[in-house]
Each structure stands twice: as structure tokens, then as C-alpha cells.
Amino acid sequence: MPAFFDYINYIFIAAIGYARDFKVKQGGDRNYITFYSTFGFFNSKIGAKNEYQIELNPSCTEIYFYKGDGGYKLVLQKDETNEWKSVK
């Protein structure tokens, strides 16, 4: 594991189905993450994973998830103590 990267383990839980993969775009101090749905039926577990290790640049302070409508939603943000917190 390179010393110059941070990692975050994210457990994916969604009412709309399962995820099989993800893609990360870095934009300055922000990461934009898109999860891809599984193959087959709507709630198929084929190829599904529910936990992902996401590599982060240490300068990253915000993580956004793709909403499916062309936009992203802020879901995690570092607080003043440098800890990741969920954004509601």
C-alpha cells in the first residue's frame, strides 16, 4: 500500500439493488464515484459486492456519489479533526 494514499472502506447498501463495480474521478480535493449495477434482474446478486476499498489522495476532503440524473451528491466529508463524516 503506497504511503502517499489514504484508503476508505465503503459498505454499499442500497434499496434499489446491488453494485458490481465503481469508477472514481478525482477533481481537486473531491472524489466523484459512480457505482455500476449488477447483471441480470433488478435485484440480482450476480457479480455483486457490498464492500469496496477506495483509494484516496490525502488532499481529498469530499466524496460525492453519482445520483443517476447526471449529478452527484455529497455523501462523505472530512471534519475539522480530519475524520470522515456522513453528510445528510
Side-chain angles (χ1 to χ4, degrees):
M1 199 179 312
F4 51 88
F5 283 105
D6 290 331
Y7 290 86
I8 188 167
N9 284 326
Y10 188 76
I11 298 174
F12 186 83
I13 301 170
I16 60 168
Y18 297 94
R20 64 178 162 83
D21 203 2
F22 67 95
K23 180 174 93 176
V24 178
K25 290 190 301 184
Q26 178 99 20
D29 61 352
R30 299 174 177 171
N31 273 8
Y32 298 90
I33 301 173
T34 302
F35 288 95
Y36 296 100
S37 61
T38 57
F39 302 106
F41 295 104
F42 179 63
N43 270 328
S44 171
K45 292 184 181 181
I46 298 172
K49 288 175 54 180
N50 65 351
E51 186 173 343
Y52 297 91
Q53 186 176 64
I54 302 169
E55 188 176 284
L56 302 174
N57 186 312
S59 67
C60 182
T61 59
E62 296 179 341
I63 296 176
Y64 293 79
F65 286 175
Y66 183 67
K67 297 189 315 178
D69 62 358
Y72 288 84
K73 178 182 178 184
L74 177 63
V75 292
L76 295 168
Q77 189 171 37
K78 280 189 178 177
D79 66 11
E80 59 279 348
T81 66
N82 217 28
E83 295 291 321
W84 287 103
K85 300 294 180 187
S86 227
V87 176
K88 298 186 190 234

